[in-house]
Amino acid sequence: MAHLEKFKKSGLGQLMAHVRRGTTEEIKDRHYSNENIDSSRSKLNVNLHDRRDGISDYNYIVNRCELHNVLNRKDVNYLGGWVITLPENMKNLNKEEQERFFREATKFLEERYTFDNIAYAYVHWDETTPHLHAGVTPRSISALISSSNILRSI
């Protein structure tokens, strides 16, 4: 199962705290209202898309939007956020096979949208159902503004 959600600049901060959960020191000890999160397992969450640029995910997204001359408007989408859930028939496989599924999903997104348009690809192992959060920056201004184009143009 895969789902795409669009995010405005104002929603990026909260989104980053959620998707990066357990992967950085400043948010390791945070407690969440979502009962499906086992915070003792948050340290297992991992980013499969290493840009190796030293830039925070938030700044990377903003920089990519600036590169495409995105206007600083409330109605402009800055990011497409994919959530890809581990298929039901893979839940009983060993973790290595499950990780392979997420690595292949990340590779697919990198090929479809190009490596530079992927901001992150975090796997959440700390919830009832493992899933991947992947952030895709737009390739064109029209993709940011038009809801109908975001699936085709990101």
Side-chain angles (χ1 to χ4, degrees):
M1 169 90 131
H3 171 76
L4 176 66
E5 189 171 343
K6 298 167 291 211
F7 293 93
K8 313 272 189 257
K9 186 176 183 181
S10 62
L12 293 179
Q14 187 172 356
L15 175 66
M16 293 301 99
H18 173 75
V19 300
R20 295 174 58 227
R21 179 177 70 237
T23 63
T24 61
E25 288 302 320
E26 72 267 16
I27 55 178
K28 277 193 184 208
D29 296 324
R30 197 167 175 185
H31 297 284
Y32 300 91
S33 59
N34 183 343
E35 295 178 9
N36 293 325
I37 297 172
D38 179 354
S39 57
S40 70
R41 296 183 46 199
S42 292
K43 63 184 175 280
L44 301 174
N45 296 348
V46 62
N47 185 7
L48 299 179
H49 182 76
D50 187 2
R51 296 184 319 266
R52 301 179 198 270
D53 57 16
I55 301 172
S56 73
D57 296 333
Y58 177 87
N59 287 334
Y60 186 80
I61 295 163
V62 171
N63 290 347
R64 292 289 297 172
C65 289
E66 287 175 359
L67 177 69
H68 291 290
N69 298 314
V70 174
L71 301 174
N72 191 13
R73 295 183 359 197
K74 290 181 186 179
D75 64 334
V76 175
N77 295 311
Y78 269 56
L79 186 77
W82 281 104
V83 177
I84 301 172
T85 305
L86 187 71
E88 195 67 38
N89 65 342
M90 295 186 78
K91 288 184 179 179
N92 292 327
L93 296 178
N94 62 42
K95 188 169 179 187
E96 186 175 291
E97 287 297 313
Q98 293 176 354
E99 286 173 349
R100 188 169 145 253
F101 168 79
F102 290 123
R103 282 193 306 274
E104 289 297 320
T106 300
K107 182 178 173 184
F108 170 81
L109 293 171
E110 290 169 348
E111 290 172 359
R112 178 171 184 163
Y113 299 115
T114 73
F115 186 90
D116 289 342
N117 286 316
I118 306 296
Y120 57 81
Y122 291 97
V123 178
H124 283 184
W125 295 105
D126 62 348
E127 293 187 51
T128 307
T129 302
H131 56 278
L132 173 76
H133 287 273
V136 182
T137 61
R139 289 190 257 185
S140 69
I141 295 171
S142 64
L144 289 163
I145 297 172
S146 172
S147 299
S148 63
N149 287 336
I150 195 159
L151 287 170
R152 292 188 303 268
S153 302
I154 286 187

